[in-house]
Amino acid sequence: MASRKVSRRRFVAGTAALSTAMVAAPFVRGAYAAGKLSLGLWDHWVPGANKASEALIKQWADKEKVEVSLDYITSQGNKLLLTTAAESQAKSGHDVLSFSTWLPSRYADQLVSMNDVMEPLIKQNGAVNATVEYLGKVGGKWLAVPSTIGSQIKGPCSRIDLMKQLAGIDVQAMYPAGSPPKADAWTFDAFLKAAEACHKGGHPFGIGLGTTSDSVDTAGALFHGFGAQLVNAKGDITVKSDNVRKALDYYKRLMAFLPEDAPAWDDASNNKWLVSGKGAMIMNPPSAWAVAKRDAPKVAEQLWTHGFPAGPAGRYAPFLPFFWGTWNFSKNQSAAKSLMVFLSQASSAEKMVEASGGYDLPAFANFTTFKTWAEEAPPKGTLFSYPNPYNHQVLSIAAAPAPHKIAEQIYTQAIQTQMVVRYAKGEAMDKTLDWAAKEIEGFSRN
Amino acid sequence: MADVAAPNSIAAMGDSRSSLHKLMQRKSTVAFLMALPLILLILILVAYPAGYAVYLAMLNKGMTRFVGFGNFEFLFTRDTFWLVVYQSCLFAITAVIFKAIIGFVVAHFVHNIPSKGQRKWRGMLLVPWVIPPAMSTLAWLWLFDPSYSAINYLLEPLGVGRIPWTGEAGWARFSVILVNVWIGAPFFMIMYLAALKSVPEQLYEAAAIDGATWWQRIWFVTLPMMRNIIAITALFSLIVTFANFDIVRVLTAGGPLNSTHIFGTWAFRVGIEGGDIPLGASVSLFMVPILAVAATFILRDITKRGSEV
């Protein structure tokens, strides 16, 4: 009698499959002549946004005769991150999975090349920004396709009235809806003066200095504005540079005008700060505005999303892309790629942007002028500048251009915001730089 | 040959049947079979994950080759790791001491309440321990919210300035320990209360006749009679507190400046969020030998006292 052994891998695969099955899953059935495809997509914050992707996927499945099962996996409590890790370990899971910012490079060896998908898409839809390329393409191989769903720019969202009254800045005139920005004077100096004025006026800017993504992203963009890299593209530690010192000095001055408890902030703190009416500005995608529209309409009427101030090395804004990727153990790779091409068409992207109230951001250059961003209100045009339509700022990610394995650790361990807080709280500059250099040295291990 | 062999094999079969019958009649066999489902569960849910964690801890960052104790050697060179060791010890030891003291005092109060009303108090005092910690910590998170702390709101009229509960290292450490004590003290209280109820009343009567003060009664009667329970409760609590995750994760996520990270939260940060699973596994396993040694000593002491009795 043949005996069947349960291998470790098989056991882990079973466990992962069980945990996946526990995720609430709407089921879309097609005629499935072309096989089955399982999808694990990020569960959108915006109510109703999942419906758009579900409808699009059903449309594609009906046309292609593919039986599709669809799981929406929340990123709350790191559920999506854990699912990705479990599938990677088990070598079993969804055919198409949403990968957050750093995950394509983390799982580079296990992902199918998407060169045959991305190259035609770039020709058709325009180039992707350098951050998408840095995160999604390693060693000439596209690891994943940038996903419209969940991708976001975390630029300033300002109070029109408070910025005008307290800082003398007309953000609507600086970033007018329907025409190019007139933001030459919107520099780090102007930003600092505005922060000081709003602080004095009792409405400080709500910029966190914690260890979560919003805080890290803002620090990353400000560091880029000074040309301050902690590690260069070759992997050399460049912490002890003049630019890093300048960035820390600037941040120290800025921190004096931020809420005292900014080092304890998480990703919800800045939203609450703005919606409560306390703050004159935060750095966030339009989710805070969407919440204000629902809970504090008077505040929402005064909100305007616009570009980042420019530093000595340029104008950088934080961009956090999501990706769709396919494991190399996926059983229906061709169908997965076909679906990604379909979802990356202008008509599909526009529907997803519309359903998310303008939150979602396609990565392709030709997709930054959908009518949703021009029409969303109140006030009308509040999101016009959100997708960077005139390409006047460089979309960036904290810790770039360091090699991915080092950069991911710098990002997740919030080295930049920790440096800022240490230095601003009185630690000597050299001691802060030494600490950061030693931490990063540890990230370089293989 | 078969003819000859047949009676032997029948006899052998008969023998094996009777020995199986005898085996099944043994109490130890029955006990083992009844415990088998639990043993299997423990093997699947405890032994396998623990073994797998040990295996992971011995791989390199890319999980492509075996590095033995390389990850542990690397950890010893990291300042942040030693910070986490310090904080884990501070968190666990301080919290266990306060839980034990509060549990002891409250157990005495409850013990002295007339039995009619005691059940109500016991029930109410157990509430913090019964609520899932992730949920009750969320409530504490709102009370300690950096910008909208309800506690600060109440303290303001008393002239107390805004306290950065989770924004400053010292206060953040205080906050996570406070919440842990709030959740864990009822467990100590109920264990000590059970122990108090088992102390024979005659011992107190004899002590009273000898003119013992309340302090002497506690020192020479109550504490010696509760010694085993105190040791076991402290040991269990120490292990559980060292392995804590939810309170720190929800309340401070290890911040500010890594000042509240303990083994569990830092292992998660490094392993899952940072993508270095072998190093994360090493961090989470670091306390196993130390706690195992502590457990051995405490349990050996209890066994010794048990045999003395």
Side-chain angles (χ1 to χ4, degrees), chain A residues 77-87, chain B residues 268 272:
Chain A
N78 288 301
K79 174 73 185 140
L80 182 57
L81 188 65
L82 290 164
T83 302
T84 312
E87 292 190 3
Chain B
F268 189 80
I272 301 293

Side-chain angles (χ1 to χ4, degrees), chain A residues 368-384:
Chain A
T368 57
T369 51
F370 294 148
K371 64 178 192 314
T372 303
W373 294 306
E375 289 175 357
E376 275 293 343
K380 195 169 182 208
T382 183
L383 300 186
F384 179 80

Side-chain angles (χ1 to χ4, degrees), chain A residues 239-240 244 248 415-439:
Chain A
V239 166
K240 293 171 185 174
V244 173
L248 285 178
I415 296 299
Q416 286 167 326
T417 52
Q418 290 202 57
M419 288 170 76
V420 169
V421 176
R422 280 170 173 270
Y423 179 58
K425 288 206 165 175
E427 191 173 86
M429 171 78 81
D430 287 335
K431 205 174 166 198
T432 299
L433 298 181
D434 282 343
W435 170 83
K438 201 166 175 212
E439 287 292 304

Side-chain angles (χ1 to χ4, degrees), chain B:
Chain B
M1 198 170 171
D3 291 341
V4 179
N8 285 347
S9 65
I10 289 165
M13 203 183 285
D15 280 352
S16 67
R17 266 185 198 159
S18 70
S19 59
L20 182 69
H21 185 69
K22 275 182 195 165
L23 188 73
M24 290 306 293
Q25 278 190 326
R26 274 192 209 157
K27 277 186 180 173
S28 57
T29 311
V30 175
F32 173 75
L33 287 175
M34 290 178 85
L36 194 60
L38 186 63
I39 292 170
L40 286 175
L41 268 180
I42 288 172
L43 284 175
I44 294 167
L45 298 177
V46 179
Y48 171 76
Y52 191 53
V54 173
Y55 163 74
L56 286 175
M58 294 187 173
L59 298 178
N60 70 331
K61 189 177 180 179
M63 299 172 74
T64 51
R65 65 192 156 83
F66 184 75
V67 293
F69 291 106
N71 289 322
F72 294 95
E73 285 170 23
F74 171 76
L75 280 176
F76 293 155
T77 64
R78 313 306 308 156
D79 291 345
T80 310
F81 174 69
W82 289 113
L83 188 68
V84 171
V85 172
Y86 166 73
Q87 275 146 203
S88 298
C89 294
L90 180 79
F91 175 74
I93 294 168
T94 316
V96 169
I97 289 171
F98 277 99
K99 281 187 275 192
I101 294 170
I102 293 169
F104 189 79
V105 172
V106 177
H108 272 83
F109 283 138
V110 176
H111 186 55
N112 288 322
I113 294 172
S115 55
K116 201 179 165 189
Q118 210 182 83
R119 194 180 291 175
K120 269 190 292 188
W121 282 100
R122 280 204 308 255
M124 281 191 289
L125 287 165
L126 273 177
V127 167
W129 190 58
V130 173
I131 302 172
M135 224 171 95
S136 53
T137 310
L138 264 182
W140 279 101
L141 178 68
W142 294 325
L143 293 174
F144 288 147
D145 186 284
S147 308
Y148 313 97
S149 165
I151 299 176
N152 282 349
Y153 178 77
L154 293 173
L155 290 176
E156 216 174 306
L158 305 174
V160 179
R162 288 183 66 237
I163 296 172
W165 295 105
T166 54
E168 196 271 318
W171 281 111
R173 284 182 184 139
F174 171 82
S175 302
V176 292
I177 291 169
L178 175 73
V179 175
N180 189 276
V181 170
W182 180 81
I183 290 170
F187 170 68
F188 280 76
M189 185 274 294
I190 208 75
M191 295 295 282
Y192 291 170
L193 188 62
L196 275 175
K197 286 188 182 297
S198 66
V199 178
E201 201 55 38
Q202 295 92 320
L203 294 179
Y204 291 112
E205 284 166 11
I209 291 164
D210 290 343
T213 62
W214 70 270
W215 171 248
Q216 284 169 324
R217 283 205 298 274
I218 285 179
W219 191 255
F220 294 109
V221 179
T222 312
L223 280 175
M225 294 302 288
M226 288 175 70
R227 234 169 112 185
N228 281 355
I229 284 290
I230 289 172
I232 288 179
T233 313
L235 172 69
F236 284 177
S237 180
L238 197 68
I239 292 169
V240 170
T241 313
F242 260 116
N244 188 272
F245 177 81
D246 35 20
I247 293 173
V248 174
R249 179 74 194 173
V250 173
L251 211 57
T252 63
L257 298 177
N258 293 329
S259 61
T260 53
H261 265 308
I262 51 176
F263 288 111
T265 55
W266 201 56
F268 189 80
R269 171 67 53 86
V270 170
I272 301 293
E273 292 181 319
D276 195 342
I277 288 178
L279 198 65
S282 309
V283 173
S284 63
L285 287 173
F286 182 75
M287 282 311 288
V288 172
I290 298 167
L291 288 175
V293 171
T296 309
F297 275 105
I298 294 174
L299 293 174
R300 202 175 63 174
D301 196 37
I302 289 166
T303 316
K304 211 169 110 189
R305 280 202 298 273
S307 57
E308 278 166 9
V309 172

Side-chain angles (χ1 to χ4, degrees), chain A residues 10-200:
Chain A
R10 197 179 169 80
F11 178 80
V12 178
T15 315
L18 187 69
S19 63
T20 303
M22 290 172 78
V23 176
F27 192 75
V28 187
R29 183 179 289 274
Y32 59 87
K36 294 179 178 180
L37 194 72
S38 61
L39 312 172
L41 302 187
W42 175 64
D43 189 11
H44 213 296
W45 312 122
V46 178
N50 287 346
K51 288 220 162 30
S53 56
E54 198 180 330
L56 283 165
I57 290 161
K58 187 178 184 320
Q59 185 190 334
W60 171 85
D62 289 344
K63 190 179 153 219
E64 300 295 333
K65 311 276 185 256
V66 175
E67 183 187 3
V68 172
S69 65
L70 178 54
D71 300 323
Y72 285 106
I73 307 168
T74 180
S75 50
Q76 293 275 18
N78 288 301
K79 174 73 185 140
L80 182 57
L81 188 65
L82 290 164
T83 302
T84 312
E87 292 190 3
S88 155
Q89 288 281 299
K91 296 184 174 44
S92 171
H94 296 93
D95 296 301
V96 176
L97 188 63
S98 290
F99 287 83
S100 59
T101 320
W102 295 99
L103 297 192
S105 59
R106 184 189 291 186
Y107 299 111
D109 297 339
Q110 289 183 286
L111 292 173
V112 172
S113 168
M114 290 289 163
N115 286 4
D116 51 342
V117 175
M118 280 305 288
E119 282 158 14
L121 279 178
I122 288 170
K123 274 186 199 150
Q124 178 191 303
N125 300 336
V128 293
N129 64 64
T131 295
V132 168
E133 192 156 341
Y134 165 72
L135 293 166
K137 190 179 181 185
V138 176
K141 173 185 162 187
W142 275 104
L143 304 166
V145 175
S147 136
T148 299
I149 304 169
S151 297
Q152 53 187 285
I153 293 176
K154 292 186 180 176
C157 179
S158 297
R159 280 280 297 265
I160 299 164
D161 52 349
L162 295 175
M163 287 292 278
K164 216 179 271 181
Q165 287 159 26
L166 302 172
I169 293 174
D170 185 346
V171 288
Q172 285 175 301
M174 200 160 65
Y175 284 90
S179 55
K182 297 162 188 151
D184 291 347
W186 184 231
T187 61
F188 279 4
D189 287 338
F191 181 77
L192 193 63
K193 279 181 194 155
E196 185 178 6
C198 290
H199 181 259
K200 270 188 193 154

